[in-house]
Amino acid sequence: MDLKRWTRWLLLALLTAVLPAQAQQPTAVLDAADNGLLVLSYHDIRDEVAARGDPDAYAVSTQNFAAHLDWLSAHGYHPVSLSQLITAAKGGTPLPPKPVLLTFDDGLRSVYSKVFPLLRAYNYPALVAVITDYVDMPAGRQIDYGYRPFTRDDFLTWAQLREMQKSGLIELASHTDNLHHGVQSNPQGNSTPAVITRTYDPARRTYETAAEYEARLRADLGRSVERIQRNVGVSPKAIVWPYAAYNALSNDIAEQLGMPVSFDLEGRSTPVKRDLHGLARLLVTNNPTVVQLAYELRRDVERDGMRALQIDLDAVYDADPVQQGKNLDALIDRVKKIGPTHVFLQAFADPDGNGSADALYFPNRHLPMRADLFNRVAWQLKTRAGVKVFAWLPVLGYELKDPAIRKALAIESPESDGIFRLDFTRPEVRKIIDDIYEDLAINSYFEGLLFHDDAYLRDTELTQLPQEGDDGARTQALIDFTLELRTAAQRWRPKLGTVRNLYAQPVLEPQSASWFAQRLDLFNKAYDHTALMAMPWMEGSRSPERWLDRLVVAVKQHDPQLSQTMFELQTLDWRTGKPIPGDRLRAQIRRLQAQGVRHFAWYPDDFIAGRPSTYDARAAMSARSFPYEEK
């Protein structure tokens, strides 16, 4: 044994010796919030991986992977198998303390040559997700794997899979038969994950029907299960969704084919529940050292601040496709340079600027489609600019196609405040708006919803609802409706985040909360974040900074740690049409940060004119630790 190995062995022995003996653990309570399972997602393990800038961001060096196993062992983690997880979920033997499931995606050859020997040395179980169409593929075939073409020599063979499965350490999951790719999702030719996309046929200018889509999923997953069963002699009990993209229908089909467990990449750990769909995994990328892995596992992600740009898709749209393409490029370039965490992207068309939807930017059943644009822009923001996209939609403000129906279902005339809003207490209205949110999710990729500021009530509206003094019952009625809309969308886009716009007046003047049907405490309880419209010029304040100070004090009465309330600033004085100076916006954010505010957004972001400037926007809204600044 050389000196380096002996030193590492001695260090591990000492670490293990000083670990406290594990106390007898009580039986795990299913569905308990603290009953967490850590799932790590690896891909390729190879000897030579560049410390920085390796062409394959998903590759981890053999040395670092071995060090990860050492660290997990020394810090009390207990690797578990998929079978143990299923047993625990059914109420059988509970998982040990700090359980961790190791998973390996795509069925790469390195799982056999590099990973399997280490797992045997440590006696650690693992789950290998196989793209069955890639196993023993014909000579000469190549797969575009991002940084270089992969051939059959890069993937596992059935003989290797049989050997690993017979060891008792390796269990197999389906990674689909051949759905690990994109398909055309809109007329512009964009490609999105095959599992969740209703394919667009440019020759016929039509989308795949619901029946065609379901048949395609069922046929592919059926082939995957059959090939594993025929070649290895076992049926997979789990599906690992490519790109973590799935929906309720795909999970249902997988379960019908004997795979009740499914995995995505949303989050780092997940409670062990009876329902094992959508288990979170931590994607291991950029070849992390032990120190980097330990930091990622120990850091409190709840303390991460949000930085969001609220974007008008009306400003991207142009009847000229060439100009529209230029507008889109300008948006992507600006967002990439600024580096926010989120973009709240308008999914409705409001060319008259009255706050209600004249049309929509996605195929739907009830309003005109101005252009099939939302999906294209949202996917490019995710893939090219690296941000999370939340779809921004009205709750009540929809100008339906038929004027007679629109008038019959409205809760007020448009003359009152210029906004058409529908009576959501009527079942036919709820169905229409549910359909709109479902259609958005069927046809687009996004990760959350921003509920528009049109969801408010007046004293004269909806007298059948509880009135003032009913302890927020009117507010809760609207909240319940928005959560119903989230449910409609989540059939096709699981785990959606939620943000709700809130006017400042109900916070600063609590007596107005009842007739607005908006309350910060109830919003923060119902949604992931509340986007408080911290817009002093809109409110007519003569001293904007003092007004913001007063707003912080009022918010802290309901959100003392400011953990959920987002302060959404205005970048334009709509009364004068003049932009707020960039240095003043930066000063406002610094002032709010000094008082503990953690989450920020602003609106509008004029990406066409570049206002606020890229320099000011980066300094104010970047989520990067050290944003590169240039004037």
Side-chain angles (χ1 to χ4, degrees), residues 154-175:
D154 291 296
F155 295 99
L156 293 163
T157 67
W158 291 119
Q160 291 165 343
L161 287 166
R162 284 192 293 271
E163 179 185 344
M164 291 192 295
Q165 190 274 330
K166 288 179 181 178
S167 74
L169 291 177
I170 302 296
E171 292 179 274
L172 302 184
S174 169
H175 206 28

Side-chain angles (χ1 to χ4, degrees), residues 265-438:
L265 292 170
E266 300 294 326
R268 298 183 300 173
S269 62
T270 189
V272 177
K273 300 181 178 181
R274 293 172 179 83
D275 182 357
L276 293 177
H277 287 307
L279 297 180
R281 297 189 298 162
L282 173 62
L283 179 60
V284 182
T285 59
N286 299 314
N287 193 24
T289 64
V290 163
V291 173
Q292 292 166 330
L293 179 66
Y295 167 77
E296 182 61 32
L297 293 179
R298 288 172 170 173
R299 73 184 183 92
D300 183 2
V301 294
E302 296 298 323
R303 299 194 64 82
D304 290 349
M306 286 180 67
R307 298 289 186 275
L309 307 180
Q310 189 163 342
I311 299 295
D312 286 319
L313 198 50
D314 287 335
V316 176
Y317 171 79
D318 197 286
D320 178 2
V322 175
Q323 184 58 51
Q324 183 170 276
K326 292 178 179 178
N327 294 343
L328 175 56
D329 287 341
L331 171 62
I332 302 298
D333 182 64
R334 177 170 168 86
V335 172
K336 190 172 182 179
K337 286 180 177 178
I338 293 171
T341 60
H342 293 70
V343 164
F344 298 154
L345 183 64
Q346 181 188 30
F348 63 101
D350 182 23
D352 57 9
N354 72 347
S356 54
D358 299 85
L360 299 171
Y361 283 115
F362 54 90
N364 71 95
R365 286 166 269 183
H366 298 291
L367 269 75
M369 182 175 69
R370 192 182 195 193
D372 193 350
L373 188 58
F374 179 85
N375 179 57
R376 179 189 184 192
V377 178
W379 186 248
Q380 294 207 33
L381 282 167
K382 174 182 173 62
T383 56
R384 291 172 57 192
V387 295
K388 291 187 175 183
V389 177
F390 278 31
W392 163 30
L393 266 182
V395 176
L396 305 177
Y398 294 95
E399 303 184 29
L400 301 175
K401 296 177 185 178
D402 188 320
I405 296 176
R406 183 173 67 200
K407 183 177 180 180
L409 300 181
I411 56 177
E412 61 178 51
S413 66
E415 291 78 20
S416 59
D417 58 8
I419 299 177
F420 289 93
R421 286 181 294 146
L422 303 179
D423 180 355
F424 78 99
T425 65
R426 301 179 63 163
E428 61 268 43
V429 168
R430 298 177 84 102
K431 178 64 168 61
I432 288 170
I433 304 177
D434 276 1
D435 289 347
I436 289 171
Y437 274 74
E438 183 177 28

Side-chain angles (χ1 to χ4, degrees), residues 5-6 69 105 114 127 164 169 245 249 281 283 288 307 309 329 334 356 466 523-524 531 571-572 580 583-584:
R5 289 186 178 181
W6 184 86
L69 300 183
D105 290 6
K114 305 297 181 184
L127 182 69
M164 291 192 295
L169 291 177
L249 175 62
R281 297 189 298 162
L283 179 60
R307 298 289 186 275
L309 307 180
D329 287 341
R334 177 170 168 86
S356 54
F523 277 23
N524 279 344
T571 63
L572 179 70
I580 310 302
D583 57 350
R584 190 166 190 180

Side-chain angles (χ1 to χ4, degrees), residues 553-590:
V553 172
V555 169
K556 284 185 175 179
Q557 295 181 27
H558 304 289
D559 185 6
Q561 303 302 316
L562 299 175
S563 60
Q564 289 181 269
T565 307
M566 172 184 293
F567 280 62
E568 184 165 12
L569 305 178
Q570 65 182 109
T571 63
L572 179 70
D573 184 346
W574 290 286
R575 298 172 304 172
T576 65
K578 295 181 179 179
I580 310 302
D583 57 350
R584 190 166 190 180
L585 286 168
R586 287 190 285 120
Q588 286 182 346
I589 287 180
R590 287 196 299 270

Side-chain angles (χ1 to χ4, degrees), residues 14-149:
L14 289 172
L15 284 170
T16 305
V18 298
L19 287 173
Q22 294 291 342
Q24 184 67 30
Q25 295 293 318
T27 301
V29 179
L30 290 182
D31 300 332
D34 59 350
N35 185 25
L37 169 71
L38 170 66
V39 186
L40 297 179
S41 170
Y42 291 93
H43 286 73
D44 204 6
I45 307 295
R46 50 187 170 86
D47 291 340
E48 300 299 328
V49 180
R52 290 186 179 181
D54 192 274
D56 184 4
Y58 299 104
V60 174
S61 71
T62 310
Q63 182 179 7
N64 278 354
F65 176 66
H68 295 175
L69 300 183
D70 282 345
W71 188 88
L72 291 169
S73 175
H75 288 80
Y77 285 90
H78 292 84
V80 298
S81 67
L82 176 68
S83 295
Q84 287 177 273
L85 171 61
I86 294 173
T87 297
K90 291 180 177 179
T93 304
L95 297 180
K98 298 179 72 172
V100 57
L101 176 60
L102 306 174
T103 67
F104 298 86
D105 290 6
D106 298 353
L108 299 174
R109 185 73 60 90
S110 62
V111 172
Y112 180 79
S113 62
K114 305 297 181 184
V115 174
F116 188 41
L118 286 168
L119 295 179
R120 285 190 296 189
Y122 283 87
N123 197 34
Y124 282 177
L127 182 69
V128 175
V130 180
I131 306 168
T132 48
D133 184 59
Y134 294 1
V135 183
D136 281 344
M137 62 186 182
R141 181 183 175 188
Q142 293 185 337
I143 301 296
D144 181 5
Y145 205 71
Y147 75 103
R148 69 170 176 84

